[in-house]
Amino acid sequence: MKVHILSLNLGGLSAADPKFDVLVDLLSKRNPDIALFQEVCIAKDRPDVLTTLQQRTGFPYARYIPSHDFAKDYGKGKLQNEHVIEGLGILSKYKFTASSKKLPILKGLDRWPRIAIKYKFDRFTLYHLHLSKHPKTRKLQVNRLPEADIYVGDFNMSPEEVRQR
């Protein structure tokens, strides 16, 4: 079974942003079986990015799992006034089940919590990640990842660090 997977960090892209049409076009042209997204932001005053993507691209299955709220302080003493929830999203041609696991963070170093989402498909298991940008935390997170067939996401690693793993 050959599965085409596309992973993109949306960087908080809004469905109202002109670049959103570029994303829809990319998904249509690449036609992946599974599309995974990091930094999917949901806000009251913005259209839901994942739902809009699903409607415009025709993927039958979608799921959004929040990881954190920008308006909350998670231990670094910094927060934003804007109430925006960020998380991970998936669009899929295949049916799946999903469960999330909190990844460790180092208080005072990391600003936001991180999660790993396990997607179980008929023939394989995939973990969707958005790891910390801080090497000490990232090492902790990688060492606590459960077994899976595929790991996809924003690893926040340099090519040299990936080769060391």
Side-chain angles (χ1 to χ4, degrees):
M1 175 180 185
K2 195 174 190 178
V3 178
H4 296 147
I5 299 171
L6 178 68
S7 176
L8 296 167
N9 184 319
L10 297 184
L13 180 74
S14 162
D17 189 309
K19 293 177 186 174
F20 185 78
D21 289 332
V22 174
L23 176 60
V24 171
D25 189 48
L26 174 72
L27 287 169
S28 298
K29 285 180 180 172
R30 291 290 177 195
N31 192 27
D33 298 310
I34 300 168
L36 299 148
F37 306 100
Q38 304 84 48
E39 296 185 23
V40 177
C41 291
I42 306 293
K44 288 180 185 178
D45 61 338
R46 294 190 223 166
D48 180 332
V49 174
L50 201 62
T51 301
T52 306
L53 266 178
Q54 184 182 21
Q55 291 167 348
R56 299 234 349 236
T57 57
F59 280 90
Y61 306 102
R63 181 84 188 262
Y64 169 78
I65 297 181
S67 62
H68 60 275
D69 180 345
F70 284 115
K72 290 184 182 176
D73 179 8
Y74 294 96
K76 194 166 182 179
K78 294 182 182 177
L79 57 130
Q80 295 174 207
N81 294 332
E82 189 179 15
H83 183 69
V84 175
I85 308 295
E86 184 177 288
L88 303 176
I90 182 174
L91 296 175
S92 177
K93 293 178 181 176
Y94 306 117
K95 201 175 217 177
F96 60 86
T97 59
S99 60
S100 64
K101 170 187 171 116
K102 289 183 181 183
L103 293 174
I105 61 170
L106 297 174
K107 289 197 177 195
L109 183 62
D110 291 288
R111 188 169 177 186
W112 313 117
R114 302 294 181 161
I115 57 173
I117 302 173
K118 177 182 180 181
Y119 297 110
K120 188 165 177 12
F121 295 87
D122 279 343
R123 297 183 182 206
F124 61 93
T125 302
L126 181 151
Y127 260 98
H128 187 194
L129 313 165
H130 188 187
L131 301 178
S132 172
K133 66 180 182 177
H134 300 288
K136 286 182 181 179
T137 305
R138 198 169 45 250
K139 186 174 183 178
L140 262 174
Q141 292 170 341
V142 168
N143 288 336
R144 295 205 186 150
L145 288 176
E147 288 293 318
D149 297 310
I150 304 167
Y151 299 91
V152 179
D154 184 343
F155 300 114
N156 276 315
M157 293 180 180
S158 67
E160 293 77 28
E161 187 177 352
V162 171
R163 284 187 207 101
Q164 292 172 6
R165 304 252 178 233

